[in-house]
Amino acid sequence: MERSELLSRLQASPEGISSEEASKRLLLNGSNTLRPRRRTDAISLLASQFKSPLIIILLIAASISFFLADRPDAIIILVIVFASALLGFWQEKGAANAVSKLLSMVQIKTSVLRDGTVHSIPIEDIVPGDIVLLSAGDNIPGDCLILRSKDLFVDEATLTGETYPVEKVEGKLPPDTPLAKRTNALFMGTHVVSGTASAAVALTGKNTEFGKVSERLRLRPQDTEFERGVKRFGYFLMEITLILVIAIFGINVYLNRPVLDSFLFSLALAVGLTPQLLPAIISINLAHGAREMAESKVIVKRLPSIENFGSMNVLCSDKTGTLTQGTVEILSLLDAEGAENDEVGLYAYLNSRFQTGFSNPIDEAVRKRAGYDISGYLKLDEVPYDFVRKRLSVLLKKMDTTMMITKGSFQNIMSVCSTAKVPSSRGVVDIDTVSEGIQKTFNDLSSKGYRILGVAIREMGSESVISKDSEKDMTFIGFLVMHDPPKPDLKKVVCDLRDIGVRLKVISGDNRAVTAMVVQQVGIENPAVLTGSEMRNMSDEALVERVNSVDVFAEVEPNQKERIILALKKRGNVVGYLGDGINDASALHAADVGISVESAVDVAKEAADIVLLEKDLGVLQDGVKAGRRTFANTLKYVFMATSANFGNMFSMAGASLFLSFLPLLPKQVLLTNLLTDLPETAIATDSVDPEMVEKPRRWDIKFIRRFMMVFGFVSSVFDFVTFGVLILFLNATQDQFRTGWFLESVVSAAAIVLVVRTRRPFFKSRPGKGLFRATIVIFAVTLALPYLMPVSVFGFRPLPISFLLIMAAIVVLYVFSAELAKHFFYHRASHSMNKLQKQ
């Protein structure tokens, strides 16, 4: 369309729309996102507590029981189920609120004209009719028609697959112009590489071209390593639960016990076996971890990435601003013979002064060297920098002379030069006659860790427009010598990261000599270097074989970064990638943990899972430790749920086969499960032993299975001891048996939490205050229940003091037996691990 026609249809003007109108359109069109936000309102969170098939079946069965059998028991079962749901809801609601506050700190925003003035608003709030102002590094917030543009180049690879940035200009095109040829339009999901523009937003969210593709493909983020581990654990428990429940139900029916009671008992066992609070516990742990990481100036955008952060064993990072201070200093301006020459400074200044692409430290440093008289120069055209050419050209006119000045990577400048200006011979000579000397100067400077750019010129006659093809037959003028010193404390940080099992690999576009020098200065001695040109000659299989042994990837092109990340992942590494540039988006997506910084361009922040408020590896190190503490506390819940819970439910299933009555009523089974879950909700605040954060840890289902078998067996042994004592020694009645076993089950499950939460002896590892207090409260409530009149509906009876003393002795013996089993279990696991590493 013509600009005026579109603005008329959108009921907008070149000055945008009013804030009031924008609010109305946001309500009408919805949030500018490709998929709806996960609802975190109270009703949605409460409803999500009942999505487990087991819970739904239990509710249905309890309802049937209400109408056909014992109404009081059915009501009690329903109350316990709802109490468990409220517990999970309360915990998840607090977690969701905390995470929402943290995410607001790193929202991606865009500049938009509203009420005739420029505002910076979240991309989600953009509506049709908004006029957006775009520059290099910005995400395109919707499908737009360009109103004005200046040297605008856009990366459309995500939408069209086009490798190189596409030039965009305002204007009208034929209606049948294909998507890839619509040079007057900007599309959501793409980003600005260079130049500036103002554009009218026509379509947002799912109505955009990218939204249609996303909807057709039902795109969703790839599961993290942690999420895959949770799924594997869930499938494992489901198999065990299904087999056990079907067997118990069938046997109880075979023994002519009431079908409905047997069904409810089997379902209650299934609920007891299922760690139903696992989703809530994971949410609580992740939210607590996110808050802890925020205190270390690390903001988590996608919560599951916290666990990957803790599991990360390889960190890939760029060099500039991460290893170095990011403050470029111009040390010298040298001509082709390596001598100081202010003419080189003039040309470099003109190039930096008139370029309109994205701001960068190099151009800022060049511009600081003011003092050149540029009053007679007029800019005619520009070819912005891109990461393939690695050059930037401007076309300037002064009086009757038109000249193209190009600045960029030394090798890329040399590749387009046919001559060189040599002051000593007062003229221009063929490049081949001086190339050896120019190369020697470059090598000498690079070996000292300096960054070198080349500067070249070409007279353009009467031409007023240039393109990439104009960069040829140029005259080499000289070198721009820069220094970006390493951060002073980085050597210790790199060493500390290595000590906690995270190996640093540097990926840089700089030449190998400069990058290797900087890397050595920060503590990586004799680094193995692989260059981008060498990578081009390697197959993917060869790269996978070699990638673990390489410390530095130098002279790397942007599209090679993703290839490096994927190769590292294929070797079994959990890979983090730290990047903040326009060309880092694909690598950030490919990494297990994409890490960016608050000062990064929008496209990098959007692609990242984690955003650092400071570009500092020291901050990253604190975040890794926080991630590992979160992972450790999540595994604690898994160990607790799969030890005492599994043992108790297995014992209950076994006892039901030999007793003439159900060992616990369904309502008592569910109450046992609820009370044993309560202390575990405090696990997120538990203290973590230092050795648990010393190295990366990952889900190991085989290890969890062995843990469950060993500690479940120990739990079952003492459950059967309790059965024997109650029936054979104490001659307990049916109600006394159930009361005694209920007390032993809950108290032992609460006590065992303090044992399995640490690999150390439990008396040498202090639990968190919240966990310890919750455990004491459960002890008190459980012991008091049989003596409280209002809860006589549960079927419990007060026990004589002799019963209580014997139950206490069994629990104490169980705790010390579990401690002994833990010692041998971890000693054997450690021995097996050492043996495997030696092999």
Side-chain angles (χ1 to χ4, degrees), residues 371-402:
Y372 300 103
D373 180 12
I374 61 170
S375 56
Y377 288 94
L378 174 67
K379 180 182 175 182
L380 300 178
D381 199 11
E382 172 180 5
V383 182
Y385 181 91
D386 67 54
F387 297 96
V388 178
R389 291 164 41 250
K390 296 184 180 179
R391 295 185 294 263
L392 165 64
S393 294
V394 295
L395 183 65
L396 303 177
K397 183 174 183 178
K398 184 177 182 183
M399 298 178 65
D400 296 329
T401 303
T402 303

PDB file of all heavy atoms in Angstrom, residues 371-402:
ATOM      1  N   GLY A 371      39.522  17.007  16.242  1.00  0.00           N
ATOM      2  CA  GLY A 371      40.566  17.963  15.888  1.00  0.00           C
ATOM      3  C   GLY A 371      40.810  18.027  14.396  1.00  0.00           C
ATOM      4  O   GLY A 371      41.631  18.823  13.925  1.00  0.00           O
ATOM      5  N   TYR A 372      40.122  17.186  13.630  1.00  0.00           N
ATOM      6  CA  TYR A 372      40.259  17.196  12.180  1.00  0.00           C
ATOM      7  C   TYR A 372      39.235  18.165  11.573  1.00  0.00           C
ATOM      8  O   TYR A 372      38.084  18.235  12.031  1.00  0.00           O
ATOM      9  CB  TYR A 372      40.042  15.790  11.606  1.00  0.00           C
ATOM     10  CG  TYR A 372      41.017  14.759  12.132  1.00  0.00           C
ATOM     11  CD1 TYR A 372      40.634  13.846  13.108  1.00  0.00           C
ATOM     12  CD2 TYR A 372      42.320  14.711  11.647  1.00  0.00           C
ATOM     13  CE1 TYR A 372      41.525  12.899  13.598  1.00  0.00           C
ATOM     14  CE2 TYR A 372      43.220  13.755  12.117  1.00  0.00           C
ATOM     15  CZ  TYR A 372      42.820  12.856  13.097  1.00  0.00           C
ATOM     16  OH  TYR A 372      43.705  11.926  13.573  1.00  0.00           O
ATOM     17  N   ASP A 373      39.653  18.869  10.573  1.00  0.00           N
ATOM     18  CA  ASP A 373      38.754  19.804   9.886  1.00  0.00           C
ATOM     19  C   ASP A 373      37.979  19.041   8.817  1.00  0.00           C
ATOM     20  O   ASP A 373      38.526  18.648   7.796  1.00  0.00           O
ATOM     21  CB  ASP A 373      39.564  20.939   9.251  1.00  0.00           C
ATOM     22  CG  ASP A 373      38.654  21.944   8.533  1.00  0.00           C
ATOM     23  OD1 ASP A 373      37.421  21.876   8.740  1.00  0.00           O
ATOM     24  OD2 ASP A 373      39.192  22.776   7.780  1.00  0.00           O
ATOM     25  N   ILE A 374      36.674  18.812   9.049  1.00  0.00           N
ATOM     26  CA  ILE A 374      35.858  18.041   8.096  1.00  0.00           C
ATOM     27  C   ILE A 374      34.722  18.911   7.537  1.00  0.00           C
ATOM     28  O   ILE A 374      33.730  18.391   7.023  1.00  0.00           O
ATOM     29  CB  ILE A 374      35.272  16.783   8.774  1.00  0.00           C
ATOM     30  CG1 ILE A 374      34.361  17.163   9.948  1.00  0.00           C
ATOM     31  CG2 ILE A 374      36.381  15.859   9.245  1.00  0.00           C
ATOM     32  CD1 ILE A 374      33.566  15.997  10.488  1.00  0.00           C
ATOM     33  N   SER A 375      34.881  20.229   7.668  1.00  0.00           N
ATOM     34  CA  SER A 375      33.803  21.141   7.279  1.00  0.00           C
ATOM     35  C   SER A 375      33.438  21.052   5.800  1.00  0.00           C
ATOM     36  O   SER A 375      32.298  21.309   5.421  1.00  0.00           O
ATOM     37  CB  SER A 375      34.188  22.583   7.627  1.00  0.00           C
ATOM     38  OG  SER A 375      35.428  22.916   7.005  1.00  0.00           O
ATOM     39  N   GLY A 376      34.368  20.664   4.931  1.00  0.00           N
ATOM     40  CA  GLY A 376      34.075  20.639   3.500  1.00  0.00           C
ATOM     41  C   GLY A 376      33.526  19.321   2.999  1.00  0.00           C
ATOM     42  O   GLY A 376      33.233  19.185   1.808  1.00  0.00           O
ATOM     43  N   TYR A 377      33.369  18.334   3.899  1.00  0.00           N
ATOM     44  CA  TYR A 377      32.967  16.987   3.457  1.00  0.00           C
ATOM     45  C   TYR A 377      31.442  16.829   3.495  1.00  0.00           C
ATOM     46  O   TYR A 377      30.784  17.257   4.450  1.00  0.00           O
ATOM     47  CB  TYR A 377      33.603  15.917   4.345  1.00  0.00           C
ATOM     48  CG  TYR A 377      35.090  15.754   4.102  1.00  0.00           C
ATOM     49  CD1 TYR A 377      36.026  16.451   4.878  1.00  0.00           C
ATOM     50  CD2 TYR A 377      35.557  14.907   3.106  1.00  0.00           C
ATOM     51  CE1 TYR A 377      37.382  16.308   4.659  1.00  0.00           C
ATOM     52  CE2 TYR A 377      36.919  14.751   2.884  1.00  0.00           C
ATOM     53  CZ  TYR A 377      37.831  15.449   3.659  1.00  0.00           C
ATOM     54  OH  TYR A 377      39.172  15.304   3.438  1.00  0.00           O
ATOM     55  N   LEU A 378      30.907  16.193   2.459  1.00  0.00           N
ATOM     56  CA  LEU A 378      29.481  15.917   2.357  1.00  0.00           C
ATOM     57  C   LEU A 378      29.290  14.416   2.131  1.00  0.00           C
ATOM     58  O   LEU A 378      29.890  13.838   1.222  1.00  0.00           O
ATOM     59  CB  LEU A 378      28.872  16.701   1.185  1.00  0.00           C
ATOM     60  CG  LEU A 378      27.402  16.405   0.862  1.00  0.00           C
ATOM     61  CD1 LEU A 378      26.491  16.887   1.985  1.00  0.00           C
ATOM     62  CD2 LEU A 378      27.012  17.064  -0.465  1.00  0.00           C
ATOM     63  N   LYS A 379      28.445  13.808   2.944  1.00  0.00           N
ATOM     64  CA  LYS A 379      28.201  12.370   2.785  1.00  0.00           C
ATOM     65  C   LYS A 379      27.188  12.126   1.670  1.00  0.00           C
ATOM     66  O   LYS A 379      26.123  12.738   1.629  1.00  0.00           O
ATOM     67  CB  LYS A 379      27.679  11.760   4.095  1.00  0.00           C
ATOM     68  CG  LYS A 379      27.408  10.260   3.977  1.00  0.00           C
ATOM     69  CD  LYS A 379      26.854   9.686   5.269  1.00  0.00           C
ATOM     70  CE  LYS A 379      26.477   8.226   5.075  1.00  0.00           C
ATOM     71  NZ  LYS A 379      25.885   7.627   6.279  1.00  0.00           N
ATOM     72  N   LEU A 380      27.539  11.183   0.786  1.00  0.00           N
ATOM     73  CA  LEU A 380      26.647  10.833  -0.321  1.00  0.00           C
ATOM     74  C   LEU A 380      25.963   9.477  -0.106  1.00  0.00           C
ATOM     75  O   LEU A 380      24.787   9.315  -0.403  1.00  0.00           O
ATOM     76  CB  LEU A 380      27.418  10.796  -1.640  1.00  0.00           C
ATOM     77  CG  LEU A 380      28.111  12.097  -2.072  1.00  0.00           C
ATOM     78  CD1 LEU A 380      28.865  11.876  -3.375  1.00  0.00           C
ATOM     79  CD2 LEU A 380      27.085  13.221  -2.227  1.00  0.00           C
ATOM     80  N   ASP A 381      26.706   8.518   0.423  1.00  0.00           N
ATOM     81  CA  ASP A 381      26.142   7.167   0.555  1.00  0.00           C
ATOM     82  C   ASP A 381      26.972   6.360   1.557  1.00  0.00           C
ATOM     83  O   ASP A 381      28.046   6.804   1.996  1.00  0.00           O
ATOM     84  CB  ASP A 381      26.114   6.461  -0.804  1.00  0.00           C
ATOM     85  CG  ASP A 381      25.148   5.279  -0.838  1.00  0.00           C
ATOM     86  OD1 ASP A 381      24.357   5.144   0.115  1.00  0.00           O
ATOM     87  OD2 ASP A 381      25.186   4.504  -1.809  1.00  0.00           O
ATOM     88  N   GLU A 382      26.476   5.179   1.848  1.00  0.00           N
ATOM     89  CA  GLU A 382      27.146   4.320   2.838  1.00  0.00           C
ATOM     90  C   GLU A 382      26.806   2.869   2.561  1.00  0.00           C
ATOM     91  O   GLU A 382      25.700   2.540   2.135  1.00  0.00           O
ATOM     92  CB  GLU A 382      26.672   4.706   4.250  1.00  0.00           C
ATOM     93  CG  GLU A 382      27.143   3.779   5.359  1.00  0.00           C
ATOM     94  CD  GLU A 382      26.636   4.206   6.729  1.00  0.00           C
ATOM     95  OE1 GLU A 382      25.841   5.183   6.806  1.00  0.00           O
ATOM     96  OE2 GLU A 382      27.023   3.573   7.717  1.00  0.00           O
ATOM     97  N   VAL A 383      27.784   1.981   2.791  1.00  0.00           N
ATOM     98  CA  VAL A 383      27.528   0.535   2.819  1.00  0.00           C
ATOM     99  C   VAL A 383      27.824   0.088   4.251  1.00  0.00           C
ATOM    100  O   VAL A 383      28.987   0.019   4.664  1.00  0.00           O
ATOM    101  CB  VAL A 383      28.427  -0.241   1.822  1.00  0.00           C
ATOM    102  CG1 VAL A 383      28.075  -1.730   1.864  1.00  0.00           C
ATOM    103  CG2 VAL A 383      28.251   0.293   0.416  1.00  0.00           C
ATOM    104  N   PRO A 384      26.778  -0.199   5.048  1.00  0.00           N
ATOM    105  CA  PRO A 384      26.997  -0.495   6.464  1.00  0.00           C
ATOM    106  C   PRO A 384      27.847  -1.745   6.677  1.00  0.00           C
ATOM    107  O   PRO A 384      27.967  -2.604   5.800  1.00  0.00           O
ATOM    108  CB  PRO A 384      25.578  -0.705   7.013  1.00  0.00           C
ATOM    109  CG  PRO A 384      24.679  -0.058   6.021  1.00  0.00           C
ATOM    110  CD  PRO A 384      25.356  -0.218   4.693  1.00  0.00           C
ATOM    111  N   TYR A 385      28.386  -1.826   7.867  1.00  0.00           N
ATOM    112  CA  TYR A 385      29.182  -2.992   8.268  1.00  0.00           C
ATOM    113  C   TYR A 385      28.291  -4.225   8.318  1.00  0.00           C
ATOM    114  O   TYR A 385      27.130  -4.155   8.734  1.00  0.00           O
ATOM    115  CB  TYR A 385      29.778  -2.738   9.654  1.00  0.00           C
ATOM    116  CG  TYR A 385      30.650  -3.863  10.173  1.00  0.00           C
ATOM    117  CD1 TYR A 385      32.019  -3.869   9.929  1.00  0.00           C
ATOM    118  CD2 TYR A 385      30.106  -4.906  10.910  1.00  0.00           C
ATOM    119  CE1 TYR A 385      32.818  -4.895  10.413  1.00  0.00           C
ATOM    120  CE2 TYR A 385      30.891  -5.938  11.396  1.00  0.00           C
ATOM    121  CZ  TYR A 385      32.246  -5.927  11.144  1.00  0.00           C
ATOM    122  OH  TYR A 385      33.035  -6.940  11.620  1.00  0.00           O
ATOM    123  N   ASP A 386      28.791  -5.352   7.874  1.00  0.00           N
ATOM    124  CA  ASP A 386      28.118  -6.620   8.145  1.00  0.00           C
ATOM    125  C   ASP A 386      29.185  -7.642   8.512  1.00  0.00           C
ATOM    126  O   ASP A 386      30.385  -7.430   8.313  1.00  0.00           O
ATOM    127  CB  ASP A 386      27.234  -7.079   6.975  1.00  0.00           C
ATOM    128  CG  ASP A 386      28.024  -7.454   5.734  1.00  0.00           C
ATOM    129  OD1 ASP A 386      28.936  -8.287   5.843  1.00  0.00           O
ATOM    130  OD2 ASP A 386      27.711  -6.911   4.648  1.00  0.00           O
ATOM    131  N   PHE A 387      28.708  -8.765   9.062  1.00  0.00           N
ATOM    132  CA  PHE A 387      29.638  -9.713   9.666  1.00  0.00           C
ATOM    133  C   PHE A 387      30.199 -10.731   8.679  1.00  0.00           C
ATOM    134  O   PHE A 387      30.922 -11.640   9.070  1.00  0.00           O
ATOM    135  CB  PHE A 387      28.944 -10.424  10.837  1.00  0.00           C
ATOM    136  CG  PHE A 387      28.566  -9.481  11.933  1.00  0.00           C
ATOM    137  CD1 PHE A 387      27.281  -8.958  12.001  1.00  0.00           C
ATOM    138  CD2 PHE A 387      29.496  -9.078  12.861  1.00  0.00           C
ATOM    139  CE1 PHE A 387      26.930  -8.061  12.997  1.00  0.00           C
ATOM    140  CE2 PHE A 387      29.161  -8.186  13.862  1.00  0.00           C
ATOM    141  CZ  PHE A 387      27.876  -7.673  13.936  1.00  0.00           C
ATOM    142  N   VAL A 388      29.876 -10.554   7.406  1.00  0.00           N
ATOM    143  CA  VAL A 388      30.496 -11.382   6.366  1.00  0.00           C
ATOM    144  C   VAL A 388      31.652 -10.607   5.736  1.00  0.00           C
ATOM    145  O   VAL A 388      32.789 -11.089   5.687  1.00  0.00           O
ATOM    146  CB  VAL A 388      29.459 -11.791   5.305  1.00  0.00           C
ATOM    147  CG1 VAL A 388      30.128 -12.608   4.208  1.00  0.00           C
ATOM    148  CG2 VAL A 388      28.338 -12.600   5.953  1.00  0.00           C
ATOM    149  N   ARG A 389      31.360  -9.363   5.287  1.00  0.00           N
ATOM    150  CA  ARG A 389      32.416  -8.523   4.699  1.00  0.00           C
ATOM    151  C   ARG A 389      33.395  -8.025   5.757  1.00  0.00           C
ATOM    152  O   ARG A 389      34.587  -7.875   5.509  1.00  0.00           O
ATOM    153  CB  ARG A 389      31.794  -7.298   4.027  1.00  0.00           C
ATOM    154  CG  ARG A 389      30.993  -7.565   2.802  1.00  0.00           C
ATOM    155  CD  ARG A 389      30.095  -6.386   2.418  1.00  0.00           C
ATOM    156  NE  ARG A 389      30.698  -5.077   2.561  1.00  0.00           N
ATOM    157  CZ  ARG A 389      30.339  -4.184   3.507  1.00  0.00           C
ATOM    158  NH1 ARG A 389      29.399  -4.472   4.374  1.00  0.00           N
ATOM    159  NH2 ARG A 389      30.924  -3.000   3.556  1.00  0.00           N
ATOM    160  N   LYS A 390      32.868  -7.732   6.932  1.00  0.00           N
ATOM    161  CA  LYS A 390      33.646  -7.158   8.039  1.00  0.00           C
ATOM    162  C   LYS A 390      34.301  -5.839   7.621  1.00  0.00           C
ATOM    163  O   LYS A 390      35.452  -5.552   7.952  1.00  0.00           O
ATOM    164  CB  LYS A 390      34.702  -8.147   8.557  1.00  0.00           C
ATOM    165  CG  LYS A 390      34.103  -9.399   9.170  1.00  0.00           C
ATOM    166  CD  LYS A 390      35.157 -10.316   9.773  1.00  0.00           C
ATOM    167  CE  LYS A 390      34.520 -11.555  10.383  1.00  0.00           C
ATOM    168  NZ  LYS A 390      35.505 -12.474  10.943  1.00  0.00           N
ATOM    169  N   ARG A 391      33.541  -5.056   6.853  1.00  0.00           N
ATOM    170  CA  ARG A 391      34.012  -3.747   6.396  1.00  0.00           C
ATOM    171  C   ARG A 391      32.864  -2.750   6.487  1.00  0.00           C
ATOM    172  O   ARG A 391      31.685  -3.125   6.476  1.00  0.00           O
ATOM    173  CB  ARG A 391      34.498  -3.810   4.939  1.00  0.00           C
ATOM    174  CG  ARG A 391      35.705  -4.669   4.683  1.00  0.00           C
ATOM    175  CD  ARG A 391      36.169  -4.559   3.223  1.00  0.00           C
ATOM    176  NE  ARG A 391      35.201  -5.099   2.290  1.00  0.00           N
ATOM    177  CZ  ARG A 391      35.237  -6.327   1.781  1.00  0.00           C
ATOM    178  NH1 ARG A 391      36.213  -7.153   2.130  1.00  0.00           N
ATOM    179  NH2 ARG A 391      34.325  -6.734   0.917  1.00  0.00           N
ATOM    180  N   LEU A 392      33.235  -1.468   6.548  1.00  0.00           N
ATOM    181  CA  LEU A 392      32.265  -0.376   6.544  1.00  0.00           C
ATOM    182  C   LEU A 392      32.775   0.696   5.586  1.00  0.00           C
ATOM    183  O   LEU A 392      33.919   1.143   5.704  1.00  0.00           O
ATOM    184  CB  LEU A 392      32.120   0.212   7.956  1.00  0.00           C
ATOM    185  CG  LEU A 392      31.422   1.563   8.099  1.00  0.00           C
ATOM    186  CD1 LEU A 392      29.979   1.488   7.665  1.00  0.00           C
ATOM    187  CD2 LEU A 392      31.528   2.065   9.528  1.00  0.00           C
ATOM    188  N   SER A 393      31.935   1.100   4.638  1.00  0.00           N
ATOM    189  CA  SER A 393      32.358   2.091   3.637  1.00  0.00           C
ATOM    190  C   SER A 393      31.419   3.300   3.658  1.00  0.00           C
ATOM    191  O   SER A 393      30.196   3.137   3.793  1.00  0.00           O
ATOM    192  CB  SER A 393      32.364   1.486   2.237  1.00  0.00           C
ATOM    193  OG  SER A 393      33.342   0.475   2.125  1.00  0.00           O
ATOM    194  N   VAL A 394      32.001   4.481   3.524  1.00  0.00           N
ATOM    195  CA  VAL A 394      31.209   5.702   3.346  1.00  0.00           C
ATOM    196  C   VAL A 394      31.702   6.413   2.082  1.00  0.00           C
ATOM    197  O   VAL A 394      32.903   6.388   1.761  1.00  0.00           O
ATOM    198  CB  VAL A 394      31.299   6.642   4.571  1.00  0.00           C
ATOM    199  CG1 VAL A 394      30.678   6.005   5.790  1.00  0.00           C
ATOM    200  CG2 VAL A 394      32.742   7.046   4.848  1.00  0.00           C
ATOM    201  N   LEU A 395      30.782   7.036   1.374  1.00  0.00           N
ATOM    202  CA  LEU A 395      31.112   7.802   0.168  1.00  0.00           C
ATOM    203  C   LEU A 395      30.982   9.281   0.507  1.00  0.00           C
ATOM    204  O   LEU A 395      29.905   9.742   0.884  1.00  0.00           O
ATOM    205  CB  LEU A 395      30.176   7.428  -0.986  1.00  0.00           C
ATOM    206  CG  LEU A 395      30.460   8.108  -2.331  1.00  0.00           C
ATOM    207  CD1 LEU A 395      31.820   7.673  -2.874  1.00  0.00           C
ATOM    208  CD2 LEU A 395      29.349   7.781  -3.329  1.00  0.00           C
ATOM    209  N   LEU A 396      32.107  10.012   0.399  1.00  0.00           N
ATOM    210  CA  LEU A 396      32.131  11.426   0.764  1.00  0.00           C
ATOM    211  C   LEU A 396      32.555  12.271  -0.437  1.00  0.00           C
ATOM    212  O   LEU A 396      33.322  11.827  -1.299  1.00  0.00           O
ATOM    213  CB  LEU A 396      33.119  11.651   1.915  1.00  0.00           C
ATOM    214  CG  LEU A 396      32.899  10.851   3.205  1.00  0.00           C
ATOM    215  CD1 LEU A 396      34.001  11.154   4.199  1.00  0.00           C
ATOM    216  CD2 LEU A 396      31.536  11.115   3.809  1.00  0.00           C
ATOM    217  N   LYS A 397      32.075  13.503  -0.451  1.00  0.00           N
ATOM    218  CA  LYS A 397      32.452  14.447  -1.506  1.00  0.00           C
ATOM    219  C   LYS A 397      33.025  15.704  -0.877  1.00  0.00           C
ATOM    220  O   LYS A 397      32.471  16.230   0.099  1.00  0.00           O
ATOM    221  CB  LYS A 397      31.243  14.807  -2.364  1.00  0.00           C
ATOM    222  CG  LYS A 397      31.582  15.730  -3.548  1.00  0.00           C
ATOM    223  CD  LYS A 397      30.374  15.932  -4.448  1.00  0.00           C
ATOM    224  CE  LYS A 397      30.761  16.801  -5.650  1.00  0.00           C
ATOM    225  NZ  LYS A 397      29.646  16.993  -6.583  1.00  0.00           N
ATOM    226  N   LYS A 398      34.153  16.165  -1.422  1.00  0.00           N
ATOM    227  CA  LYS A 398      34.731  17.439  -1.002  1.00  0.00           C
ATOM    228  C   LYS A 398      35.148  18.186  -2.269  1.00  0.00           C
ATOM    229  O   LYS A 398      36.022  17.745  -3.007  1.00  0.00           O
ATOM    230  CB  LYS A 398      35.926  17.216  -0.088  1.00  0.00           C
ATOM    231  CG  LYS A 398      36.487  18.528   0.451  1.00  0.00           C
ATOM    232  CD  LYS A 398      37.643  18.304   1.419  1.00  0.00           C
ATOM    233  CE  LYS A 398      38.143  19.632   1.990  1.00  0.00           C
ATOM    234  NZ  LYS A 398      39.305  19.467   2.883  1.00  0.00           N
ATOM    235  N   MET A 399      34.477  19.276  -2.475  1.00  0.00           N
ATOM    236  CA  MET A 399      34.685  20.067  -3.693  1.00  0.00           C
ATOM    237  C   MET A 399      34.442  19.171  -4.927  1.00  0.00           C
ATOM    238  O   MET A 399      33.367  18.615  -5.070  1.00  0.00           O
ATOM    239  CB  MET A 399      36.083  20.695  -3.693  1.00  0.00           C
ATOM    240  CG  MET A 399      36.282  21.667  -2.497  1.00  0.00           C
ATOM    241  SD  MET A 399      37.917  22.403  -2.398  1.00  0.00           S
ATOM    242  CE  MET A 399      37.951  23.394  -3.885  1.00  0.00           C
ATOM    243  N   ASP A 400      35.443  18.951  -5.765  1.00  0.00           N
ATOM    244  CA  ASP A 400      35.235  18.168  -6.982  1.00  0.00           C
ATOM    245  C   ASP A 400      35.664  16.710  -6.826  1.00  0.00           C
ATOM    246  O   ASP A 400      35.642  15.942  -7.792  1.00  0.00           O
ATOM    247  CB  ASP A 400      36.015  18.796  -8.148  1.00  0.00           C
ATOM    248  CG  ASP A 400      35.492  20.181  -8.482  1.00  0.00           C
ATOM    249  OD1 ASP A 400      34.278  20.395  -8.294  1.00  0.00           O
ATOM    250  OD2 ASP A 400      36.288  21.030  -8.919  1.00  0.00           O
ATOM    251  N   THR A 401      36.068  16.328  -5.587  1.00  0.00           N
ATOM    252  CA  THR A 401      36.592  14.971  -5.365  1.00  0.00           C
ATOM    253  C   THR A 401      35.561  14.128  -4.614  1.00  0.00           C
ATOM    254  O   THR A 401      35.042  14.550  -3.581  1.00  0.00           O
ATOM    255  CB  THR A 401      37.897  15.011  -4.542  1.00  0.00           C
ATOM    256  OG1 THR A 401      38.846  15.833  -5.232  1.00  0.00           O
ATOM    257  CG2 THR A 401      38.459  13.606  -4.363  1.00  0.00           C
ATOM    258  N   THR A 402      35.282  12.954  -5.180  1.00  0.00           N
ATOM    259  CA  THR A 402      34.392  11.990  -4.509  1.00  0.00           C
ATOM    260  C   THR A 402      35.232  10.772  -4.131  1.00  0.00           C
ATOM    261  O   THR A 402      35.909  10.192  -4.982  1.00  0.00           O
ATOM    262  CB  THR A 402      33.239  11.564  -5.427  1.00  0.00           C
ATOM    263  OG1 THR A 402      32.522  12.734  -5.834  1.00  0.00           O
ATOM    264  CG2 THR A 402      32.296  10.626  -4.702  1.00  0.00           C
TER     265      THR A 402
END
